[in-house]
Amino acid sequence: MERKSISRAVQVLFVANGVCIVTLLAAFIAYGWATHGVQAARSAQYSSYLLADELRQSSDDLTRLARNFAATGEAHHEQQYLEVVAMRAGEAARPQSPHRIYWDLVGPDDRRPRPAGQTLGLLEEMRRFGFTDEEFQKLELATQRSIALIELETEAMNAVKGRFRDASGDYTVTGAPNLEHARNLLFSSDYAEAKRLVMIPVDEFFGLMEARTSGAVASADRWALIAMSVLIAALVLLVGSLGATGVILLRRVMRPLGAIRGRMETLAQGELEAAIPYSERSDEIGDMAQALVVFRDNATAKLAADARAIEAREEAELEKQAASEAAIREQQALVVQSFGVGLARLAEGELTYRLDCDLPPEYAQLRDDFNSALTSLQNTIGVVVTNVAAIRSGTGEVSHAGGDLSRRHAVIHRDGEGYLLEPVREVKVNGMHISPYVRHAE
């Protein structure tokens, strides 16, 4: 039979699960990068649009401020116009959040809606955001075409201040301010045409910028979709691999182990007749079952041997017990005989008798206690005899002395009703002090 290995199968399953987990982690990381790329592409698209719109808005602000100056002659419009030109060139600080409404909120008092931001030219910031050379070429074309527009605006604003061109084209001729001439210049068809020519490349710039950023966003979205698909596929594979691992382990390992464990419990309870399950398998479970078969057979053989040994031991114990009981009976007979002789001698009044025979060790203490008791009894009786003799002698002396005293010293006093006794004197009889009393009549 071909040898099968559960450990090898488990190793294969763990390797497969590990590959699925690594793939899932890689897909998750790729999806995170793709999502970040989408966010970055959308952020770049939005920032690029804001910068492009700021460029368009600044062009419109220049036109509006020039026309306002031509219409009103108020100096703050010219100052704001020159400041916009300086901001676009990077010579003045642009306002914070420049994409929001700004110059429409600035009045004659020159109060600004927001503080100034960084001093950075608009084109320089566009380069930082990755605008392409093709897009900058469109802006360069717009810049070249804006020369005619700037000349018309410059002529109009000088007319408002009473300055006009000389033969060489410089504004050296002075005169009265001519606002009507300025307005005619800024609202003329030449101005409108110059404005249109400038806005054509600006519009094309917008188109290129939107195509580039939209393409970047679409590419990032595609990568995010691919990463999400791989992530979902890896997750499905991992779930399937884990499920297969669970089913295989349950059917090939857990259930057989449970059955073998149950059979081991019945073996522990003494059930040796039932068959051992899965002993026919050729893997580690089969090895465990075969080992249990050997254990069962050995247990059966040991039980038989133990039964024979117990039977032999019981027979030996019975023989030993019989011999022990016979020896105990002999010892008890000797002890009873010895103590019987001692008690008989004691009953005859022989207090000097002692047990001096050899007794078994367990009765030696009893023999010694018996002899000690006889010794104590002998000593006590000797003391009692001596004291009795002394008491008899003393009693006679006391009786004689008491009679003599009662005759010589008794005094009777009568005091009211009845009698009273009172001591006459103290006498010493046989070493004892005696205080006789006289009874008084009361």
Side-chain angles (χ1 to χ4, degrees):
M1 182 182 295
E2 183 181 356
R3 173 69 178 178
K4 298 179 181 180
S5 176
I6 293 179
S7 60
R8 183 176 298 275
V10 170
Q11 290 176 0
V12 172
L13 290 174
F14 274 106
V15 169
N17 290 332
V19 171
C20 291
I21 291 174
V22 171
T23 304
L24 179 63
L25 291 177
F28 182 78
I29 293 173
Y31 178 72
W33 279 106
T35 303
H36 178 73
V38 171
Q39 294 176 351
R42 294 186 182 278
S43 178
Q45 182 184 37
Y46 179 68
S47 299
S48 298
Y49 175 79
L50 292 180
L51 290 173
D53 187 67
E54 183 182 353
L55 176 65
R56 182 198 57 79
Q57 181 63 41
S58 63
S59 179
D60 291 342
D61 287 335
L62 290 175
T63 299
R64 180 180 59 82
L65 292 172
R67 287 176 174 177
N68 288 342
F69 183 59
T72 63
E74 297 177 354
H76 68 274
H77 292 300
E78 183 186 18
Q79 294 173 358
Q80 294 173 9
Y81 176 93
L82 296 175
E83 190 172 353
V84 171
V85 173
M87 287 180 180
R88 292 181 62 172
E91 298 173 358
R94 291 154 53 205
Q96 296 180 5
S97 302
H99 59 278
R100 294 172 55 186
I101 304 300
Y102 185 78
W103 291 112
D104 290 333
L105 303 178
V106 179
D109 56 357
D110 199 34
R111 181 179 298 177
R112 305 300 172 94
R114 290 184 301 279
Q118 59 181 345
T119 304
L120 180 64
L122 185 58
L123 296 180
E124 180 64 24
E125 188 169 1
M126 285 181 175
R127 289 189 179 90
R128 292 186 178 182
F129 274 87
F131 282 76
T132 64
D133 293 338
E134 185 180 5
E135 293 167 355
F136 276 111
Q137 289 175 2
K138 297 296 181 182
L139 294 181
E140 181 64 26
L141 179 59
T143 301
Q144 294 175 1
R145 292 182 177 181
S146 64
I147 295 176
L149 195 64
I150 294 174
E151 288 179 353
L152 290 174
E153 292 171 347
T154 302
E155 183 180 356
M157 288 190 291
N158 278 288
V160 172
K161 293 185 291 183
R163 296 176 182 174
F164 304 96
R165 286 183 178 182
D166 55 16
S168 61
D170 296 328
Y171 294 94
T172 60
V173 179
T174 60
N178 192 345
L179 276 65
E180 183 177 0
H181 176 65
R183 288 192 296 269
N184 290 335
L185 288 174
L186 297 178
F187 287 94
S188 64
S189 58
D190 293 338
Y191 186 87
E193 180 63 18
K195 180 78 172 179
R196 186 184 69 82
L197 293 176
V198 170
M199 286 300 159
I200 289 175
V202 171
D203 181 66
E204 293 174 351
F205 163 79
F206 267 88
L208 293 174
M209 182 270 298
E210 290 179 354
R212 173 178 57 82
T213 56
S214 298
V217 171
S219 177
D221 287 337
R222 283 194 301 271
W223 280 110
L225 181 60
I226 293 173
M228 179 179 290
S229 301
V230 174
L231 178 63
I232 294 174
L235 183 60
V236 171
L237 287 176
L238 179 60
V239 172
S241 178
L242 292 176
T245 301
V247 171
I248 292 174
L249 291 178
L250 178 64
R251 293 183 177 180
R252 298 287 298 172
V253 179
M254 303 307 295
R255 287 181 180 176
L257 285 178
I260 291 176
R261 182 182 63 82
R263 187 65 185 92
M264 290 176 65
E265 291 178 354
T266 58
L267 280 177
Q269 296 171 1
E271 175 58 49
L272 301 177
E273 301 299 329
I276 304 299
Y278 301 104
S279 59
E280 72 283 356
R281 286 177 53 167
S282 60
D283 53 15
E284 289 83 355
I285 298 296
D287 294 341
M288 294 177 61
Q290 289 294 334
L292 199 58
V293 170
V294 174
F295 176 80
R296 181 197 62 183
D297 296 341
N298 291 338
T300 302
K302 186 177 184 303
L303 286 177
D306 289 345
R308 291 192 296 269
I310 290 173
E311 184 177 356
R313 187 166 57 250
E314 288 179 351
E315 293 177 358
E317 288 292 336
L318 289 176
E319 294 176 358
K320 182 179 180 181
Q321 183 177 1
S324 177
E325 290 177 354
I328 291 174
R329 285 194 296 271
E330 292 178 1
Q331 294 175 359
Q332 289 177 347
L334 177 61
V335 171
V336 170
Q337 182 181 1
S338 299
F339 279 93
V341 173
L343 292 175
R345 295 289 184 91
L346 180 63
E348 294 174 358
E350 187 176 350
L351 301 178
T352 60
Y353 178 78
R354 300 290 185 273
L355 293 178
D356 54 1
C357 58
D358 292 334
L359 296 178
E362 57 268 22
Y363 296 102
Q365 183 66 37
L366 181 61
R367 179 194 61 194
D368 295 341
D369 293 342
F370 181 79
N371 291 335
S372 299
L374 288 178
T375 301
S376 299
L377 180 60
Q378 182 182 0
N379 294 333
T380 302
I381 291 177
V383 172
V384 170
V385 171
T386 302
N387 291 337
V388 168
I391 290 172
R392 286 179 179 176
S393 176
T395 302
E397 293 178 2
V398 170
S399 175
H400 177 74
D404 182 62
L405 290 172
S406 61
R407 287 190 301 269
R408 290 187 298 156
H409 300 286
V411 180
I412 301 175
H413 295 278
R414 184 176 186 85
D415 185 9
E417 297 182 359
Y419 295 89
L420 298 174
L421 293 178
E422 59 183 16
V424 177
R425 67 185 181 87
E426 186 179 89
V427 296
K428 186 175 183 181
V429 180
N430 197 19
M432 294 184 296
H433 293 276
I434 301 176
S435 299
Y437 286 80
V438 176
R439 181 175 179 228
H440 291 269
E442 295 179 357

